[in-house]
């Protein structure tokens, strides 16, 4: 209380409200990879810097565009159909050399993240186009992310460009950071998706991420893996107007004096518009193939915004996706969703008739653990833990007495009540949904107080998703 020494009228403001808990952001991914530029003021000033952005235009301004594909990595052949003297159509054959194309995916990944509802995120450019993609670079980028408090998701799409050993190093670095800091979650891609699939290819594909992740359940619960890769709606990154016609035939025979082999597409547009239009239509059938992690991160952000972090980010459609690279049948999904051998779950992305491309898995890699098998449970608990942790810093060095305990308990209970009301916690009544205990003889001993420890015990009944909907029907005998 203030000391008053002279006559007068003094004002004292008395707070009648208890302290409140401000919830932290739940879906702020950090993308690590390679970019065309990394410039804010001068060249390369954003290289090896974790930089927050808020929009797709921010990324383009600071990090440039996609890598332009070399024209030698695609062939365009046109057979002009001319059964008589008049051309009746064109058979266009386009053959991209996917194996030789640019390995840089971050540009398209971030674009797909924003297209799927993503918002604020961090970018770490670890190198520019022309550099070899290496686990050393990507791990160094992850180390920079570890110094930032805001990111809650880890996404490294270009890890699929590494060999098995280097890929394992990056996956381990992602999982270790998430599990040690406990405030973030790793979204993993398999190293490969074999297309077209065979009887053994799906098992071989998902084995790449299963072998790369540790067996420790305390680590596995902080990550989830998604399969398969996605065919995006983004066209191949060639400079299309300057591509040349590789082969021109008429009726399967050399075109002779009408041969347009070697002509650029921009020239064909004016001298052979019908042929050009046929090429454009066929070229539009080829798209960039992307690992699913960026699109899934966008879905996380969208679900968190519209429903809440407690809602499972599943049974949601993905935008800017033509289809999954391979289709997964029900028996195949059964083995991925619940794997009794490894205990590791892989979340599938399926094509659902009438719904498009849909995420149909909500399990962490620790898929057989009843406590932590669901992505939303792990992420919700992380958000609650960090929110309460940050909002109770004012208690440090406060008197460790019942007056302080009551304030802390009230603050946490008010926060959890709001979560229960939103539907994040199960229970018909608040007391069935959560419990907050603090006090001498309850959570602390006299020695704890002498040692300066204030211990709060919090229990929550987190809502689990209805993963299996079982409808039971029976026929009844006629009664009248």
């Amino acid at each position: 209380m203030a000391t008053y020494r002279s006559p007068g009228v003094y004002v004292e403001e008395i707070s009648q409200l208890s302290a409140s808990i401000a919830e932290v952001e739940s879906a702020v991914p950090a993308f690590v990879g390679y970019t065309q530029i990394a410039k804010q003021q001068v060249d390369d000033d954003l290289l090896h810097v974790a930089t927050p952005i808020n929009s797709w235009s921010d990324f383009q301004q600071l990090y440039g565009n996609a890598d332009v594909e070399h024209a030698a990595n695609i062939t365009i052949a046109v057979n002009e159909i001319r059964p008589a003297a008049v051309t009746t159509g064109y058979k266009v054959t386009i053959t991209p050399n996917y194996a030789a194309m640019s390995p840089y995916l971050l540009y398209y990944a971030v674009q797909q993240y924003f297209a799927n509802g993503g918002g604020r995120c961090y970018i770490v450019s670890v190198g520019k186009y022309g550099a070899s993609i290496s686990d050393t670079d990507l791990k160094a980028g992850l180390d920079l992310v570890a110094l930032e408090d805001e990111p809650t998701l880890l996404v490294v799409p270009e890890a699929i460009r590494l060999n098995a050993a280097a890929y394992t190093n990056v996956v381990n670095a992602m999982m270790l950071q998430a599990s040690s800091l406990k405030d973030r979650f790793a979204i993993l891609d398999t190293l490969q998706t074999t297309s077209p699939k065979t009887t053994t290819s799906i098992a071989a594909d998902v084995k790449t991420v299963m072998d790369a992740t540790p067996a420790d359940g305390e680590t596995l619960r902080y990550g989830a893996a998604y399969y398969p890769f996605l065919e995006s709606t983004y066209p191949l990154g060639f400079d299309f107007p300057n591509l040349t016609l590789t082969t021109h035939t008429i009726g399967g025979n050399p075109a002779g004096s009408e041969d347009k082999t070697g002509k650029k597409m921009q020239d064909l547009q004016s001298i052979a518009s019908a042929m050009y239009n046929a090429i454009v239509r066929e070229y539009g059938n080829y798209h960039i193939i992307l690992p699913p992690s960026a699109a899934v991160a966008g879905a996380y952000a969208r679900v968190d915004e519209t429903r809440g972090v407690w809602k499972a980010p599943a049974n949601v459609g993905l935008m800017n996706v033509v289809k999954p690279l391979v289709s997964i049948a029900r028996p195949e999904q059964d083995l991925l969703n619940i794997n009794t051998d490894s205990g590791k779950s892989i979340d599938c992305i399926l094509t659902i008739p009438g719904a498009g491309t849909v995420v149909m898995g909500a399990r962490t890699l620790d898929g057989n653990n009843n406590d932590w098998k669901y992505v939303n449970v792990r992420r919700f608990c992380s958000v609650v833990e960090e929110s309460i942790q940050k909002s109770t810093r004012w208690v440090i060095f406060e008197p460790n007495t019942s007056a302080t305990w009551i304030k802390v308990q009230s603050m946490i209970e008010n926060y959890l009540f709001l979560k229960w009301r939103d539907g994040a916690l199960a229970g018909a009544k608040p007391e069935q949904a959560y419990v907050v205990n603090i006090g001498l003889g309850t959570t602390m001993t006299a020695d704890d107080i002498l040692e300066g420890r204030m211990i709060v015990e919090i229990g929550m009944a987190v809502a689990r998703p209805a993963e299996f909907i079982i409808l039971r029907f029976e026929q009844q005998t006629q009664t009248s």
Side-chain angles (χ1 to χ4, degrees), residues 46 103 123 194 207 226 253 441 453:
L46 294 183
I123 307 296
T194 304
K207 189 175 185 295
Y226 291 82
N253 301 311
R453 291 189 288 264

Side-chain angles (χ1 to χ4, degrees), residues 121-235:
C121 64
Y122 278 71
I123 307 296
V124 181
S125 176
V126 296
K128 297 196 291 186
Y129 299 157
S132 298
I133 295 178
S134 73
D135 58 328
T136 302
D137 288 343
L138 296 176
K139 287 172 63 180
L142 286 168
D143 289 341
L144 293 171
V145 174
L147 301 177
E148 301 294 329
D149 181 61
E150 192 177 7
T152 59
L153 300 171
L154 301 177
V155 186
V156 187
E158 288 163 348
I160 68 167
R161 300 305 196 194
L162 302 170
N163 60 40
Y167 164 81
T168 299
N169 289 338
V170 173
V171 167
N172 284 337
M174 295 172 70
M175 295 298 297
L176 180 61
Q177 181 178 143
S179 61
S180 59
L181 295 180
K182 302 186 187 303
D183 64 352
R184 54 202 64 188
F185 192 82
I187 305 178
L188 305 179
D189 304 300
T190 59
L191 180 59
Q192 63 194 29
T193 292
T194 304
S195 178
K197 71 177 182 180
T198 66
T199 56
T200 60
S201 62
I202 291 180
D205 291 343
V206 300
K207 189 175 185 295
T208 59
V209 73
M210 288 185 177
D211 289 348
T213 49
D216 177 17
E218 300 223 356
T219 301
L220 291 176
R221 68 188 58 164
Y222 286 94
Y226 291 82
Y227 179 85
F229 291 175
L230 306 174
E231 180 183 344
S232 73
T233 59
Y234 308 127

Side-chain angles (χ1 to χ4, degrees), residues 108-439:
Y108 299 106
V110 175
Q111 185 178 12
Q112 197 167 55
Y113 163 71
F114 282 110
N116 277 278
R120 183 175 175 83
C121 64
Y122 278 71
I123 307 296
V124 181
S125 176
V126 296
K128 297 196 291 186
Y129 299 157
S132 298
I133 295 178
S134 73
D135 58 328
T136 302
D137 288 343
L138 296 176
K139 287 172 63 180
L142 286 168
D143 289 341
L144 293 171
V145 174
L147 301 177
E148 301 294 329
D149 181 61
E150 192 177 7
T152 59
L153 300 171
L154 301 177
V155 186
V156 187
E158 288 163 348
I160 68 167
R161 300 305 196 194
L162 302 170
N163 60 40
Y167 164 81
T168 299
N169 289 338
V170 173
V171 167
N172 284 337
M174 295 172 70
M175 295 298 297
L176 180 61
Q177 181 178 143
S179 61
S180 59
L181 295 180
K182 302 186 187 303
D183 64 352
R184 54 202 64 188
F185 192 82
I187 305 178
L188 305 179
D189 304 300
T190 59
L191 180 59
Q192 63 194 29
T193 292
T194 304
S195 178
K197 71 177 182 180
T198 66
T199 56
T200 60
S201 62
I202 291 180
D205 291 343
V206 300
K207 189 175 185 295
T208 59
V209 73
M210 288 185 177
D211 289 348
T213 49
D216 177 17
E218 300 223 356
T219 301
L220 291 176
R221 68 188 58 164
Y222 286 94
Y226 291 82
Y227 179 85
F229 291 175
L230 306 174
E231 180 183 344
S232 73
T233 59
Y234 308 127
L236 299 180
F238 292 96
D239 180 10
F240 184 78
N242 287 309
L243 291 179
T244 58
L245 183 61
T246 309
T247 307
H248 178 205
T249 57
I250 299 177
N253 301 311
S257 60
E258 300 180 57
D259 189 11
K260 295 179 178 60
T261 299
K263 294 290 185 181
K264 292 184 177 181
M265 295 298 111
Q266 58 188 4
D267 297 329
L268 289 178
Q269 187 175 12
S270 57
I271 64 176
S273 60
M275 179 188 295
Y276 171 81
N277 290 335
I279 294 172
V280 169
R281 286 193 297 271
E282 181 63 21
Y283 183 79
N285 293 328
Y286 294 85
H287 304 96
I288 296 291
I289 303 300
L290 292 175
S293 55
V296 170
Y300 277 25
R302 188 167 83 245
V303 171
D304 288 6
E305 176 68 22
T306 58
R307 296 289 299 277
V309 67
W310 47 268
K311 162 68 172 68
N315 199 15
V316 292
L318 297 180
M319 313 298 180
N320 287 19
V321 175
V322 176
K323 62 182 179 180
L325 196 57
V326 298
S327 60
I328 301 174
R330 176 60 65 84
E332 295 165 335
Q333 186 184 9
D334 289 346
L335 296 176
L336 299 181
N337 196 55
I338 301 177
N339 190 304
T340 55
D341 292 331
S342 68
K344 299 177 182 179
S345 294
I346 306 296
D347 295 322
C348 295
I349 300 173
L350 310 177
T351 297
I352 306 296
T357 302
V358 179
V359 179
M360 288 303 290
R363 294 192 172 216
T364 68
L365 280 160
D366 197 13
N368 287 352
N369 185 324
N370 282 333
D371 284 333
W372 303 109
K373 66 182 175 183
Y374 291 118
V375 170
N376 59 303
V377 174
R378 176 63 272 170
R379 294 182 62 234
F380 174 75
C381 288
S382 293
V383 167
V384 170
E385 290 166 9
E386 187 177 10
S387 298
I388 294 177
Q389 178 192 28
K390 289 183 175 180
S391 297
T392 52
R393 285 176 179 164
W394 65 270
V395 183
I396 300 174
F397 296 115
E398 288 293 307
N400 201 356
T401 61
S402 60
T404 305
W405 304 337
I406 291 171
K407 291 179 182 178
V408 171
Q409 183 175 25
S410 175
M411 179 179 68
I412 297 174
E413 286 179 341
N414 289 341
Y415 171 68
L416 294 179
F417 174 80
L418 296 177
K419 298 294 102 181
W420 169 75
R421 191 179 64 181
D422 289 342
L425 301 176
K429 302 176 182 178
E431 56 266 29
Q432 296 172 341
Y434 57 85
V435 61
V436 181
N437 292 322
I438 180 173

